[in-house]
Amino acid sequence: MPDQEPTYRLNDGELLGRLMRCPDQGGQRHTVRSLAAVTGISKSKISCMLRDRQTKLPQSKATALADAVDVRRKALFTLIMSASADTDVNGEA
């Protein structure tokens, strides 16, 4: 079975909204539509994230979103530790 990407949870939808309203390095402010186009995340998912719903993303999407609003991933997201991360190679805790 292939390794899955780590999953990250958005810390604060309101913060994401504020960052979207700040001009990026090119002077552009992001809308839900423009952020979706840049990150590959659906418009509905971004809209839900702004309202603190459906806040989980795989690492690549979390990184793309943070890059789009010019912040580090850890400023917006927290790594979700899986239950399997607490077990050793033999499956024992």
Side-chain angles (χ1 to χ4, degrees), residues 52-84:
D52 290 322
R53 298 181 184 153
Q54 298 182 12
T55 59
K56 296 177 187 176
L57 290 174
Q59 180 176 333
S60 60
K61 298 286 185 179
T63 301
L65 192 141
D67 288 348
V69 294
D70 292 326
V71 296
R72 290 182 179 216
R73 185 181 60 223
K74 67 182 180 178
L76 279 177
F77 293 92
T78 301
L79 177 64
I80 298 172
M81 299 300 292
S82 70
S84 62

Side-chain angles (χ1 to χ4, degrees), residues 17-39:
R18 288 194 312 263
L19 290 168
M20 287 170 62
R21 290 187 296 272
C22 293
D24 65 12
Q25 292 179 355
Q28 177 184 4
R29 291 180 171 90
H30 281 289
T31 62
V32 170
R33 183 175 295 199
S34 69
L35 194 58
V38 170
T39 63

